[in-house]
Amino acid sequence: MGKGKLAKFADMAANPLVVECPYATLHADGFDLRGRWNRDFFRNERPLVLELGCGRGEYTMGLARMFPDGNYIGVDIKGARMWTGAQEARREGMDNVGFLRANIEFIDRFFAPGEVSEVWLTFSDPQMKKVSKRLTGTAFMQRYRAFMQDGGLMHLKTDSNFLYTYTREMLSANGIKPLAETRNLYAEPSEGMLALAQSIQTYYESMWRARGIDIKYLCFSLPLQGALTEPEVDIPLDEYRSYSRQKRSSLEVGR
């Protein structure tokens, strides 16, 4: 491991805005902040919003700046990436931002029922061959149900036509109507949820747009009751190689 990464991990360990939870600790002792994020971490009662797979935290930080009446947590397993947002938030003295370094497969163990009002999925790996790992798949929707508020919002912003089409088909198969949707977010000025999705643009998003790849967006309310069914549909795979599709690391082997 390079010295740069070691220094970043040391910064992360000393940053009060960062929470790290190794897999073994999660199983042995549970998670202390579950159900108490607002009381013990943010020390207020603002709505709690998650960005899953936050990378550098650009969206987490953007939302926190735009909407100071909410609390925002970026979640990722890549500590070296998350360092950027965590350091920035600490320098700016932001009191409505936090970062959780953890495996998203266990996300339902970090938050209590009804604790989260919104979830953003920003440029997630489409996992074209593994539906069980797809962050908009029904297996993950069940996890989100465990902590979402009734009527809570799910946002998907993606470069992947595969992931967008799959998610749209998943919603249709389960009778869930999108509240906002587009296959080309920046085609024209928008209002409401579409305008919100346009208002924050990440570094990699700008790179995809420069390559002529349209940015897709979906917003929907996840019902908390009823069985969820996987769509039975063949979807063409993405033909291009996207940026930043590396394998995820593991907290089990240390920082």
Side-chain angles (χ1 to χ4, degrees):
M1 181 182 293
K3 292 183 178 179
K5 281 193 174 181
L6 290 174
K8 287 181 178 180
F9 289 138
D11 286 342
M12 293 280 282
N15 192 329
L17 302 183
V18 176
V19 176
E20 298 186 87
C21 187
Y23 177 83
T25 301
L26 177 61
H27 273 271
D29 304 323
F31 185 66
D32 291 343
L33 286 173
R34 186 174 186 267
R36 298 196 290 270
W37 279 95
N38 278 352
R39 190 191 75 181
D40 295 347
F41 187 84
F42 292 107
R43 295 180 174 84
N44 61 56
E45 293 302 322
R46 301 167 183 157
L48 186 60
V49 180
L50 307 183
E51 182 194 3
L52 303 184
C54 69
R56 298 177 179 181
E58 293 163 283
Y59 236 85
T60 300
M61 293 291 291
L63 289 170
R65 292 187 181 109
M66 290 175 63
F67 304 103
D69 57 346
N71 293 327
Y72 301 88
I73 300 176
V75 184
D76 209 306
I77 196 67
K78 295 283 190 177
R81 293 182 193 171
M82 192 186 297
W83 175 88
T84 302
Q87 289 294 101
E88 190 173 342
R90 189 178 188 184
R91 283 196 304 269
E92 294 184 19
M94 300 182 74
D95 65 355
N96 65 334
V97 176
F99 291 90
L100 171 63
R101 184 169 180 252
N103 194 316
I104 295 175
E105 291 185 11
F106 307 107
I107 192 64
D108 52 324
R109 303 182 190 181
F110 294 96
F111 301 93
E115 193 169 17
V116 175
S117 63
E118 293 186 46
V119 170
W120 283 80
L121 304 173
T122 52
F123 303 98
S124 308
D125 189 326
Q127 295 288 350
M128 291 182 284
K129 296 182 179 180
K130 298 179 181 179
V131 66
S132 63
K133 291 184 175 293
R134 205 169 295 158
L135 294 190
T136 60
T138 56
F140 271 93
M141 291 296 151
Q142 291 285 20
R143 292 180 174 97
Y144 307 149
R145 280 176 160 185
F147 56 73
M148 290 289 288
Q149 295 176 1
D150 190 20
L153 297 180
M154 299 289 307
H155 304 265
L156 170 68
K157 194 175 183 184
T158 182
D159 61 295
S160 168
N161 183 67
F162 176 91
L163 185 60
Y164 177 88
T165 303
Y166 164 81
T167 307
R168 189 66 183 83
E169 293 292 337
M170 184 277 294
L171 296 180
S172 178
N174 290 284
I176 304 172
K177 185 177 180 179
L179 301 176
E181 59 179 321
T182 179
R183 286 186 176 272
N184 190 352
L185 179 62
Y186 297 99
E188 57 187 33
S190 300
E191 298 180 348
M193 293 294 182
L194 296 179
L196 172 59
Q198 287 179 342
S199 64
I200 302 171
Q201 186 173 158
T202 69
Y203 170 78
Y204 285 115
E205 183 177 353
S206 66
M207 296 297 99
W208 287 314
R209 292 187 67 197
R211 290 170 61 181
I213 298 172
D214 294 336
I215 305 302
K216 296 84 174 167
Y217 172 74
L218 270 172
C219 177
F220 58 95
S221 179
L222 178 64
L224 301 186
Q225 304 297 327
L228 293 175
T229 303
E230 278 292 329
E232 296 184 7
V233 60
D234 291 326
I235 303 172
L237 302 181
D238 296 332
E239 295 182 352
Y240 67 94
R241 179 175 177 80
S242 186
Y243 293 103
S244 192
R245 297 298 189 210
Q246 297 94 336
K247 293 183 180 180
R248 293 185 178 273
S249 64
S250 172
L251 281 176
E252 293 181 82
V253 295
R255 292 195 299 269

